[in-house]
Amino acid sequence: MIQKGKAWKFGANIDTDLIAPIQALKREKPEEGYVHCLQDVDPDFAKNCRTGDIFVAEENLGIGSSREWAPHYLRLCGIRLLLAKSYARIFYRNCFNLALPALVCAETHRISAGDELEVDPLKGEVRNLTKGESYTCDTVPEHLMRIVADGGLLEHLKKKFKKAS
Amino acid sequence: MGQTISEKILARASGKERVKPGDIVTCKVDMAMMHDSSGPRVAGRRLDEIGVPVWDMDRLVVITDHYVGYDTDESRAIQELCDDWCKSHGVKHYIRQEGICHIVLPQHGHVKPGTFCVGADSHSTTAGAFGAFMVGIGATEMTGVLATGEIWVRVPENVRMEVTGALKPGVAAKDVILKICGDHGIMGFGYQVVEFSGDGVAAMSAQDRMTLTNMAAEIGAKTGIIAPDAKTAALLAEWGVPGVNPDDWQSDPDAGYVKRLTVDGDALAPQVAAPHSPENADDVTAYRNVKLGQAYLGACTGAKLEDLRMAAEVVKGRKVASGTRFLVAPSSVRMREQAAKEGTLKILEDAGAQILQSGCGGCIGLGAARLDDGMTGISSTNRNFVGRAGPAGTKLYLASPYTVAASAIAGEIADPRDML
Ligand code: SF4
């Protein structure tokens, strides 16, 4: 489950209203709203984000509304892994439920926008290939990684109910 | 060592004798609530994808509040989808356009002390004012609850937040919670449960206490909770849950708290949180002379019947400043009717307030109360993040119903104590 990608760097207190603005949610097909993702912070984010990129932030990532569109939009933009110093609890759970591992890393301030990163969530290792540094991050509870491995809570439940029937 | 009310509830819900902070337990859900934004159109569709029925229709409540009353194609489509899903699945407790979910839910008798509840909305913490342990969850997680009736929970640490003394006239629960936001920050109690207690809380009305637990979401807490008392039991009886015995759901005197904090209720001045975070709270006097285009009394936080009464007390016999619009969206239809009957609404209208439909509206930048580009507003809602209540260039201050009303009259941020 090693994830290699380019870092997008954001600061502290990135809230879910910023990640999934209301204009986006109002659409009849809200899944198309990801083009508005973080537009008030970085208007080019949704356009330039590539599949496999890594989202790096400082404290309190995902505070505010429980809207699950927030991690969903990050995923639709291409983000496959998050690194932050701390998360809001609903957002944290939502990320794993949508198969987006959210890792707690105390050293995200050392990462700059555009750095090439290689992250091993099981070992709790972050390698910064651009800067030649490495950082540690918290390991993830096993039951959460099972959900990620299944492709998210929905797929996890489908599997579970299929087994049961 | 004894247990807190939260630990007792989680122990019961997970079928254990007792639980301790850090334990990961699986709880049976006593009641689940979802609304038109997160519910049928997301959680509901996903349940259908799995192909299993709702685990227990008696325990599910669906409420429409987020996209009500806006005459747009998107809003209509969302309402239709919600109606269709509830009908085709035989949802028993479907409450349409009666007001905001966190108010309507207890008002229709769905919140009971001692229960473990989940809601697909971050302010589900509100139900804690009635001694329920209710947490907000995301829509996919709600799918899991709908399918299984269970959810995993990491037992949180408990913080005891004691409000000492009595609040002065013109000061309300909103000021207490804004003060806590200001002192401890929006992640001040990450993953903890904040139990509000003390003389100050005991003296508050059962409705006003809902503002404390509502904004537990703004201090990072997993939830907020208040042990029920005779006032809680009386309000619950009025709202359809008779016979509550408060003694059944109290924290033990020797229960374990990681922190015991106090708010000095006697000394508390009205609070105002500056843009763009609830943690930018300070005494109202720090923000005098901020000119306002709009004052909004609304949301699950600040437009309950008692909030409307607070505002009426201030504006009675006065007029809203020219150049400032004063918009009032009562939290629920029943509360609007009560306010109309007792004359509270008339006092607000006579002062120049415009009454809007009950729903989330201005709180999430929808409908008539959306801030115009570049506008500065004050509001009794709970969040003032960039872009929430209007375009990114708008500025929103948060305050109590007293302060919002006083500011509507003055046309700038004003101290309600000067008008009472
Ligand atoms: S009024 Fe605002 S905070 Fe309350 S439920 Fe609606 S959107 Fe959420």
Side-chain angles (χ1 to χ4, degrees), chain B residues 159-220:
Chain B
V159 174
R160 192 160 172 105
M161 181 71 69
E162 198 177 324
V163 183
T164 58
L167 305 181
K168 293 280 178 307
V171 182
K174 180 65 172 281
D175 300 300
V176 173
I177 192 72
L178 284 176
K179 174 79 180 152
I180 296 170
C181 288
D183 286 353
H184 300 277
I186 46 175
M187 281 290 281
F189 302 97
Y191 214 79
Q192 295 169 323
V193 50
V194 178
E195 184 178 323
F196 300 94
S197 65
D199 301 346
V201 174
M204 276 174 205
S205 73
Q207 261 190 44
D208 205 23
R209 293 174 196 167
M210 294 169 77
T211 309
L212 294 180
T213 48
N214 177 274
M215 286 190 64
E218 273 61 50
I219 48 177

Side-chain angles (χ1 to χ4, degrees), chain A residues 15 17 22 25-26 30 40 60 63-66 68 87 89-90 93-94 97 143-144 153-154 157-158, chain B residues 41 46 49-50 67 74 121-122 136 138-141 144 151-152 186-187 222 364 366 383 385 388 392:
Chain A
D15 64 73
D17 281 88
I22 191 75
L25 308 192
K26 268 196 308 188
D40 291 331
N60 309 338
I63 49 171
S65 157
S66 64
E68 201 173 81
Y87 298 86
R89 57 165 288 276
I90 300 179
R93 293 180 71 119
N94 285 345
N97 289 335
H143 68 283
L144 289 183
L153 182 63
L154 188 58
L157 289 168
K158 279 187 194 163
Chain B
R41 74 179 183 138
R46 296 198 178 141
E49 238 185 85
I50 303 174
Y67 294 96
E74 297 104 330
D121 188 280
S122 56
T140 299
E141 193 125 50
I151 189 170
W152 70 268
I186 46 175
M187 281 290 281
K222 183 177 180 70
I364 38 171
L366 293 175
R383 286 184 183 142
F385 298 143
R388 182 169 172 95

Side-chain angles (χ1 to χ4, degrees), chain B residues 35 65-66 100-102 121 123 214 298-301 359-360 363-364 382-383 388:
Chain B
H35 53 57
D65 60 355
H66 275 56
I100 304 165
C101 59
H102 308 301
D121 188 280
H123 291 101
N214 177 274
C300 48
T301 332
C360 295
C363 178
I364 38 171
N382 47 35
R383 286 184 183 142
R388 182 169 172 95

Side-chain angles (χ1 to χ4, degrees), chain A residues 87-90 92-93 96 104 138-144, chain B residues 4 6-7 9-11 13-14 16 19-28 116 118 133-137 141 150-158 187 189-194 220-223 258:
Chain A
Y87 298 86
R89 57 165 288 276
I90 300 179
Y92 179 81
R93 293 180 71 119
F96 284 94
V104 177
D138 291 0
T139 49
V140 174
E142 200 206 319
H143 68 283
L144 289 183
Chain B
T4 66
S6 302
E7 287 161 354
I9 294 171
L10 292 175
S14 61
K16 297 201 166 14
V19 294
K20 60 175 192 317
D23 288 355
I24 292 186
V25 294
T26 300
C27 291
K28 287 209 183 322
F116 173 78
V118 298
F133 189 97
M134 186 160 178
V135 291
I137 59 174
E141 193 125 50
E150 294 180 346
I151 189 170
W152 70 268
V153 177
R154 185 172 155 274
V155 178
E157 295 169 329
N158 289 253
M187 281 290 281
F189 302 97
Y191 214 79
Q192 295 169 323
V193 50
V194 178
K222 183 177 180 70
T223 194
V258 282

Side-chain angles (χ1 to χ4, degrees), chain B residues 188-348:
Chain B
F189 302 97
Y191 214 79
Q192 295 169 323
V193 50
V194 178
E195 184 178 323
F196 300 94
S197 65
D199 301 346
V201 174
M204 276 174 205
S205 73
Q207 261 190 44
D208 205 23
R209 293 174 196 167
M210 294 169 77
T211 309
L212 294 180
T213 48
N214 177 274
M215 286 190 64
E218 273 61 50
I219 48 177
K222 183 177 180 70
T223 194
I225 199 162
I226 300 170
D229 64 4
K231 286 183 187 172
T232 326
L235 186 60
L236 283 173
E238 189 191 324
W239 286 355
V241 184
V244 165
N245 181 0
D247 296 342
D248 294 344
W249 297 104
Q250 300 293 322
S251 293
D252 296 329
D254 57 345
Y257 295 92
V258 282
K259 264 186 239 162
R260 287 173 184 266
L261 301 167
T262 51
V263 176
D264 184 352
D266 284 320
L268 188 66
Q271 299 288 301
V272 171
H276 295 283
S277 175
E279 71 183 19
N280 297 337
D282 202 345
D283 291 0
V284 60
T285 44
Y287 298 113
R288 278 186 200 275
N289 306 323
V290 174
K291 296 268 179 283
L292 300 166
Q294 175 173 303
Y296 178 59
L297 211 59
C300 48
T301 332
K304 302 179 291 297
L305 179 61
E306 292 192 2
D307 298 322
L308 303 179
R309 286 180 184 155
M310 289 179 206
E313 223 182 292
V314 173
V315 304
K316 192 167 187 173
R318 296 191 163 92
K319 289 277 178 217
V320 171
S322 64
T324 305
R325 62 182 189 219
F326 184 27
L327 305 174
V328 178
S331 298
S332 79
V333 171
R334 285 191 196 169
M335 286 176 175
R336 169 208 302 263
E337 284 163 2
Q338 284 169 288
K341 208 164 140 203
E342 68 181 31
T344 299
L345 223 48
K346 174 128 193 342
I347 297 173
L348 294 171

